[in-house]
Structure formats: structure tokens, C-alpha cells
Amino acid sequence: MQLRPATVDDIPAVLAFWKTSAEDTNRAGDDAAAVAALMARDPEALVLATDGEEIVGSLIAGFDGWRCHLYRFAVRPDRRRRGIGAALLAAAEERFRAFGAGRADAMVLGDNVLAHRAWAASGYAAQPEWRRWVKRL
Ligand SMILES: CC(C)(COP(=O)(O)OP(=O)(O)OC[C@H]1O[C@@H](n2cnc3c(N)ncnc32)[C@H](O)[C@@H]1OP(=O)(O)O)[C@@H](O)C(=O)NCCC(=O)NCCS
């Protein structure tokens, strides 16, 4: 397993990977243009775990100059529980530290208990006093 930033050539495979491996409730549809825009803004934000040509994990590690946000934390179902998720989070945190950032966060569905365990294992904790406020643009 290797970790590397995704490139534009990976976009179709990334979209296919998310369909089979990412949490998919309550999520706006992903498309190639949106992923390309992310790469144009921050070419190293989307980190992939790969095994040869195959994508086995993903994590978007975005830094907006103020805070660090994590998205699309996913590992292929048949590769879970082998440390890939933890390795992706460690790589993201290393990237964030290099920016001098002090805190990372993620949006996690309240009933995604599997994800809660993985986030908690890497040191993340829920802040129940906060709610996400959203407006569609
Ligand atoms: C969440 C997810 C990315 C974790 O990836 P992973 O590669 O399986 O995670 P790891 O193997 O690195 O696990 C790290 C730790 O998390 C905890 N953990 C992960 N999966 C667990 C499970 N099924 N049961 C209990 N603990 C679990 C364990 O503490 C584990 O350490 P250990 O194996 O040494 O006990 C993966 O389960 C996934 O893709 N889930 C579906 C998508 C999703 O819901 N993503 C989160 C969106 S917020």
C-alpha cells in the first residue's frame, strides 16, 4: 500500500471508488468537475492509498488557510481494518502540521458508528454542542 496525491488522470477511478467504498448518505453528488476544481486549487489535498494501480483508500485533507477539514475518508470494503484509514489520517495530519495548522475536523454522521470508532482511534472526538449550518449556493 502506498499513499500519494491524486492526479487528474485518477478522477474517473476516484469517482468509481467513492461509489463502492465511501459513506454515501446525505452527500451532494460528486462529479469530475468538482474533483478537478479541488485539484486545481490544492493539488495535494486528495490523498489516495493505492495497491499497484488500484485505489484502496482516499481522504481529502483540505487546508483553507485557517482550519483543516477532512472529507471522503474511505477504504475499500475488502481492505478495511488493516491500518489504511489510520495511515491516511496520519498523512493528512502531517500535511496540516507542515502548514502550521493546529486543529483538524471532519463531519461525521451521528449514526455512522463504524466511522466513530476509526476517528476515535486516531484521536478525534465529537463536539456535541455544535451543529452544522448549511445553505445551498
Ligand atoms: C472508516 C474507515 C475509512 C476506516 O478505515 P480502516 O482502514 O478500516 O481503518 P483502520 O484499519 O486504520 O482502523 C483504525 C482503527 O479504527 C478502529 N476501527 C476501524 N474499523 C473498526 C471496526 N469495524 N470495529 C471496531 N473498530 C474499528 C480500530 O480501533 C482500528 O484500529 P485496530 O484495527 O488496531 O483496532 C472505513 O471503515 C470505511 O471506509 N468506512 C466506510 C466509509 C465511511 O463511513 N467513512 C467515514 C466517513 S466520516
Side-chain angles (χ1 to χ4, degrees):
M1 193 272 295
Q2 295 199 314
L3 299 182
R4 64 167 175 83
T7 69
V8 286
D9 293 341
D10 293 310
I11 291 175
V14 166
L15 292 172
F17 170 75
W18 285 341
K19 277 201 162 60
T20 58
S21 304
E23 190 286 318
D24 205 22
T25 312
N26 262 327
R27 192 144 62 78
D30 299 310
D31 62 33
V35 182
L38 169 70
M39 291 173 178
R41 183 180 162 87
D42 183 348
E44 304 208 326
L46 173 52
V47 182
L48 299 180
T50 56
D51 181 356
E53 296 291 302
E54 294 187 45
I55 298 172
V56 295
S58 77
L59 182 64
I60 295 174
F63 176 59
D64 61 16
W66 183 248
R67 298 290 190 219
C68 305
H69 307 289
L70 295 159
Y71 308 93
R72 299 297 186 277
F73 182 33
V75 169
R76 210 169 78 182
D78 65 338
R79 300 295 185 95
R80 289 181 188 162
R81 207 66 198 272
R82 298 185 200 178
I84 296 174
L88 283 161
L89 289 175
E93 291 162 14
E94 191 179 321
R95 170 174 158 78
F96 293 152
R97 281 192 203 95
F99 289 126
R103 195 181 73 193
D105 64 32
M107 291 179 298
V108 185
L109 285 169
D111 62 0
N112 192 348
V113 175
L114 171 63
H116 296 177
R117 292 187 180 131
W119 287 109
S122 284
Y124 293 76
Q127 290 188 316
E129 68 276 25
W130 290 90
R131 290 270 174 177
R132 183 184 182 202
W133 287 41
V134 177
K135 178 181 176 182
R136 287 231 173 264
L137 304 177

